[in-house]
Amino acid sequence: LPKVVQDFPDFQYDEMKEKSNNVITSYLQAVTNANPGLLTEGNSELTQQLENHILMNANRGQREHFDSVRIHRTELHRYQKTAGRCIITFQSSLECFHYLTKENSSTPIKGSNSLKYQTRFNVDLIYIQDRDLVENTMDQGLAMNCPNCGGPLPKLGAKFCEYCGSPVVEFNIRTWSFSNLEEIQ
């Protein structure tokens, strides 16, 4: 967390942690109801992942259920910086009734609707600074300078130049968005 706050002084940890929980619960509700419209947040990658998950279940003639989801704890798991992209991964532990049924049945064919299932999920929160750097991995860094004095801007979320005090407009094409969700086995 100190590295995240150093790079993004305005980062609201508790708010993003809560949003991460909402992404998990809405994703699991969407899978249970086979309705991608129930996903509350996330970028197009996460929406596509959800649609593929639902389609895979439908192609198997199955419905996947996540009932009575209760998140126990969510913490910052990892922070990665690559050329043009920062990724914060939240990890959540939860319990639920998790089971599979045939498409038009309520009888579980796998899992249980009476025994709680304990698991963990990782949710990626990404911040893209420069789409060209993300798409062109040949570039190995991102350098930004003050438009007034030319001094280097050492922090990704810098609002003012540390040398001359001039205000700096953040260089970004996107804000934070949730991108990936995966269950940890």
Side-chain angles (χ1 to χ4, degrees):
L1 184 58
K3 289 180 183 178
V4 172
V5 172
Q6 179 182 353
D7 290 344
F8 300 95
D10 296 334
F11 185 78
Q12 300 294 318
Y13 176 70
D14 291 331
E15 178 184 338
M16 291 302 185
K17 192 164 86 167
E18 186 64 32
K19 285 184 176 191
S20 172
N21 290 344
N22 291 339
V23 166
I24 292 171
T25 55
S26 67
Y27 185 99
L28 298 179
Q29 286 174 350
V31 169
T32 299
N33 294 296
N35 180 358
L38 295 176
L39 184 64
T40 57
E41 290 193 50
N43 62 17
S44 60
E45 293 171 15
L46 185 61
T47 302
Q48 186 63 52
Q49 178 186 350
L50 173 60
E51 290 170 353
N52 290 343
H53 191 131
I54 292 169
L55 183 61
M56 182 181 68
N57 285 335
N59 289 341
R60 293 179 180 161
Q62 299 175 341
R63 293 281 307 266
E64 187 171 11
H65 302 266
F66 294 92
D67 296 336
S68 303
V69 174
R70 180 172 171 244
I71 295 178
H72 295 292
R73 188 171 181 163
T74 299
E75 295 297 334
L76 195 145
H77 176 65
R78 179 175 46 238
Y79 176 51
Q80 299 171 297
K81 292 193 300 188
T82 59
R85 179 186 291 226
C86 297
I87 303 170
I88 295 174
T89 302
F90 287 100
Q91 188 170 91
S92 299
S93 61
L94 62 89
E95 69 179 45
C96 64
F97 296 105
H98 178 229
Y99 56 99
L100 293 172
T101 62
K102 291 285 184 191
E103 188 66 40
N104 296 319
S105 173
S106 60
T107 305
I109 57 173
K110 184 177 180 184
S112 174
N113 60 0
S114 60
L115 293 174
K116 293 268 180 153
Y117 172 74
Q118 302 283 329
T119 190
R120 292 177 295 154
F121 281 90
N122 281 352
V123 180
D124 289 342
L125 178 63
I126 65 168
Y127 184 89
I128 297 180
Q129 300 157 302
D130 184 350
R131 183 180 306 281
D132 292 334
L133 288 176
V134 171
E135 292 173 355
N136 182 5
T137 56
M138 300 295 283
D139 294 332
Q140 294 300 314
L142 174 64
M144 296 190 309
N145 296 332
C146 173
N148 185 43
C149 72
L153 299 175
K155 295 180 184 174
L156 296 174
K159 304 283 187 206
F160 296 95
C161 175
E162 292 181 357
Y163 299 97
C164 70
S166 295
V168 177
V169 176
E170 284 186 64
F171 177 65
N172 68 327
I173 59 161
R174 227 187 264 184
T175 58
W176 293 103
S177 66
F178 290 95
S179 174
N180 182 47
L181 183 137
E182 71 176 312
E183 184 173 9
I184 307 303
Q185 298 291 332

